Amino acid sequence: MATEHLSPLDLAFWRIESAAHPMHLGALAVFHTAEPGAGPATGPGTASGAVSGAAERAAALLAARCAAVPGLRRRIRDVLLPVGAAAWSPDPGFDPARHVFLVRTDEADPQTAAGPLMARPLDRELPPWEAHVLAGPDPESFAVLFKFHHALADGLGALALAAALFDEGPALRTSPRPVPEQRAGSALRRLPGTLAARVADVGQALEIGAAVARSGLPLGVPAALIADPAGRGTRAVAGLALDLDEVNLVRKAAGGTVNDVLICLVAGALRRWLEERGDPAPTGPGPRALIPVSRRGRAGSGGGNRLSGYLLRLPLAERDPLLRLDRIRAAMDRNKDAGPARGAGAVALLADHVHPLGHRLGGPLVAQAARLLFDILVTSVPLPGLTFTLGGSRVREVYPLAPLARGQSLAVAVSTYKGTVHYGLVADAAAVPDLDALAGALRAELDALVREVS
């Protein structure tokens, strides 16, 4: 069997990780054991025992099912050639008990329990993923925190892997496509096209590099978005659920896309949050938001990462919420006209032009340079309209959670599920002790936009 090396971008994510800045993404799925409005269960084995039983059943199912998913049984190992590269290999001692954990917690809000768990790096000697089943005091719900290393999957790839663990999950591809064997003759026949592609790749790399240089140094970045680069590895997690109908009301009245409105909510919430904290009024062009863009042909088509991105300034200095939306929509339109393979946000594509040894030696330097490239991550993870269940319990809320770059205090992820928008906020707990206030500011900003267009 041919060795399956990590792609350049996957290798980059693997190499830039540190103990204080783990590179896993997450999803906090909240399950309900009873239909809304049905009232609490009664009889023997109910109340706290019922949720304990549902959580234990969920943990047992995850442990049993994960062994049957090939993509979850693979670990990452360094290889001799090419120097600095790494490859996937089966874990001969794969043990579900080292990946699926039942966590009993007194926290009523699973997001509070998720923060410390998101701070813990994954064991790099094992297949890089975990599932923590959180059994709290609510007798009608439990939660599961899924953690997938970014080298294993991007948001859509993680969805494909997690979907295979649910009841009657959708048939999403969970393993990479095989690499076809190449014969010497066919390689020679393709040589002219290959050389032309290489020249085009170099031109693209130079263009992206120039765009990064033109994007400028951090300007107008609030101090609240800057964390101690050394960090202590502490994390706080918060989430907010908003009605998608209200978001669509704003979109239809003001124009643009749902994603434009969701980004605008982040910008307006940051402005409100800073004002409530008593921080100086935002000035200048505003912080640079990196907006990842999937380059997959179709959802779930393999593992690993197929990402580019857009870069835009969040106009925090603009007081009018509709004018903020106009500026964000115009900036996103310019990004889309240029395409995901151009501009400063496409910096992820530069990983393809770095030798594996460069990733190995330069990973720590790249991690330290994150603040030179962008100031805050705002990512969207589309979810299918299917109903996910685990052991008969239904998913009611899904909060995506993004990794936090070195020197940055906040990362924002958003998904839409069953007519509800879910914002997942991950922060450096020392730099942002009031993360719940930011979640509240998101709610207030949507209310303000709805009032403006009503």
Side-chain angles (χ1 to χ4, degrees), residues 46-65:
T46 57
S48 60
V51 67
S52 175
E56 289 177 353
R57 183 166 60 253
L61 286 171
L62 292 173
R65 292 170 180 172

Side-chain angles (χ1 to χ4, degrees), residues 132-145:
H132 298 262
V133 182
L134 308 177
D138 184 349
E140 295 183 9
S141 72
F142 64 91
V144 180
L145 173 65

Side-chain angles (χ1 to χ4, degrees), residues 344-427:
V347 66
L349 302 184
L350 296 181
D352 292 337
H353 304 280
V354 178
H355 188 277
L357 183 59
H359 285 299
R360 184 167 190 171
L361 298 179
L365 294 176
V366 172
Q368 293 178 30
R371 279 203 59 234
L372 297 178
L373 300 174
F374 65 99
D375 306 307
I376 183 173
L377 178 70
V378 182
T379 183
S380 177
V381 182
L383 298 180
L386 303 168
T387 298
F388 291 106
T389 64
L390 182 59
S393 298
R394 289 192 175 192
V395 173
R396 295 296 183 192
E397 305 162 52
V398 184
Y399 298 97
L401 304 172
L404 196 58
R406 183 183 178 93
Q408 296 179 4
S409 70
L410 178 67
V412 179
V414 59
S415 65
T416 302
Y417 180 68
K418 296 292 186 181
T420 302
V421 175
H422 295 98
Y423 277 94
L425 310 177
V426 177

Side-chain angles (χ1 to χ4, degrees), residues 79-143:
V79 295
L80 292 176
L81 294 174
V83 177
W88 292 103
S89 66
D91 182 0
F94 179 77
D95 181 1
R98 303 183 74 177
H99 297 273
V100 180
F101 307 94
L102 179 61
V103 182
R104 302 184 187 278
T105 173
D106 294 330
E107 298 289 351
D109 187 349
Q111 295 157 358
T112 303
L117 294 173
M118 282 297 291
R120 299 179 191 172
L122 296 167
D123 189 332
R124 292 170 68 90
E125 297 299 315
L126 300 176
W129 70 275
E130 291 175 352
H132 298 262
V133 182
L134 308 177
D138 184 349
E140 295 183 9
S141 72
F142 64 91

Side-chain angles (χ1 to χ4, degrees), residues 21 72 81 101 147 166 178 183 212 254 272-273 342 348 353 367 398 452:
H21 296 89
L72 297 178
L81 294 174
F101 307 94
K147 294 168 56 176
F166 293 136
R183 298 179 180 274
V212 171
R272 289 175 178 273
W273 176 59
R342 302 176 63 186
H353 304 280
V398 184
E452 289 287 337

Side-chain angles (χ1 to χ4, degrees), residues 248-341:
N248 273 317
L249 177 66
V250 175
R251 176 190 63 81
K252 291 176 182 177
T257 67
V258 166
N259 199 46
D260 293 340
V261 178
L262 297 179
I263 296 170
C264 182
L265 291 180
V266 174
L270 287 173
R271 179 184 172 87
R272 289 175 178 273
W273 176 59
L274 294 171
E275 289 178 344
E276 292 170 0
R277 289 164 54 106
D279 289 3
T283 59
R288 300 160 301 169
L290 177 63
I291 316 293
V293 178
S294 175
R295 299 171 64 231
R296 289 177 178 269
R298 61 188 178 91
S301 59
N305 289 273
R306 292 171 175 84
L307 293 173
S308 182
Y310 297 143
L311 196 70
L312 64 84
R313 296 275 184 177
L314 298 179
L316 303 193
E318 176 56 63
R319 301 185 61 88
D320 187 297
L322 289 180
L323 289 179
R324 260 197 312 271
L325 178 55
D326 285 342
R327 292 180 58 180
I328 287 172
R329 182 180 59 212
M332 286 298 289
D333 286 346
R334 288 193 296 270
N335 279 323
K336 292 170 189 175
D337 288 342

